[in-house]
């Protein structure tokens, strides 16, 4: 499947609101797989984390968007009309590594995306571990 036949959506979320951002500003090679996000960060105990920069999560995910795209493209070869949404939650340990991860939706590509996210080293959080909760990846064929 050609990369330009897939749409990836990016949605940047702050602590209080989300604003959609078109992937048109991304380089052409990054536009091919759909990623949107709605995340919140919390300490591992579920309490408010204080401050963990949302863009730190976005930078980590964006650094591997091509690998996420490949996960989707492999499944498109099997199911050319595959579309949907995966919600992912993960824990960022004090050293920036992903230590726990859960997915919900699209079981055909969720394990591949989970492996990609586990391989990312995020900005180490200040103080406590951080939970990124409900980060959706939305995939759609043009």
């Amino acid at each position: 499947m050609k990369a330009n036949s897939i749409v990836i959506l990016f949605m940047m979320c702050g602590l209080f609101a989300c604003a959609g951002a078109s992937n048109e500003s991304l380089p052409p090679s990054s536009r091919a797989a759909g990623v949107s996000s709605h995340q919140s960060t919390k300490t591992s105990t579920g309490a408010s984390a204080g401050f963990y920069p949302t863009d730190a999560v976005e930078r980590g995910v964006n650094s591997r968007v091509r690998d996420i795209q490949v996960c989707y493209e492999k499944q498109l070869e099997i199911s050319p009309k595959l579309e949907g949404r995966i919600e992912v939650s993960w824990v960022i340990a004090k050293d920036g590594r992903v230590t726990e991860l859960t997915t919900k939706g699209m079981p055909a590509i969720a394990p591949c995306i989970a492996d990609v996210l586990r391989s990312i080293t995020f900005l180490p959080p200040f103080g406590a571990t951080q939970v990124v909760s409900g980060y959706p990846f939305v995939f759609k064929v043009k």
Side-chain angles (χ1 to χ4, degrees):
M1 171 114 330
K2 293 181 182 176
N4 62 2
S5 65
I6 305 167
V7 175
I8 292 187
L9 306 172
F10 287 89
M11 187 179 300
M12 308 298 183
C13 297
L15 293 176
F16 301 107
C18 295
S22 168
N23 65 348
E24 294 303 314
S25 62
L26 296 173
S29 63
S30 298
R31 292 186 195 148
V35 180
S36 71
S37 71
H38 173 69
Q39 83 260 5
S40 60
T41 57
K42 299 178 182 177
T43 63
S44 59
T45 62
S48 175
F51 180 75
Y52 186 75
T54 301
D55 65 329
V57 174
E58 296 295 331
R59 271 194 311 270
V61 172
N62 289 342
S63 73
R64 299 297 301 279
V65 73
R66 178 66 186 125
D67 297 322
I68 293 167
Q69 173 184 342
V70 168
C71 292
Y72 183 50
E73 289 175 346
K74 285 180 182 177
Q75 285 303 310
L76 279 178
E77 293 174 5
I78 299 164
S79 304
K81 295 184 181 194
L82 180 67
E83 295 184 344
R85 173 186 172 113
I86 298 172
E87 284 201 19
V88 185
S89 297
W90 65 91
V91 174
I92 302 172
K94 289 182 183 181
D95 63 0
R97 291 180 306 112
V98 174
T99 58
E100 299 173 37
L101 186 140
T102 60
T103 62
K104 180 180 175 183
M106 297 188 77
I109 64 171
C112 181
I113 291 173
D115 288 344
V116 171
L117 292 173
R118 281 188 193 101
S119 71
I120 298 170
T121 301
F122 290 90
L123 176 72
F126 179 75
T129 60
Q130 300 293 308
V131 176
V132 178
S133 178
Y135 193 109
F137 292 83
V138 179
F139 299 92
K140 183 169 180 67
V141 178
K142 274 188 179 178

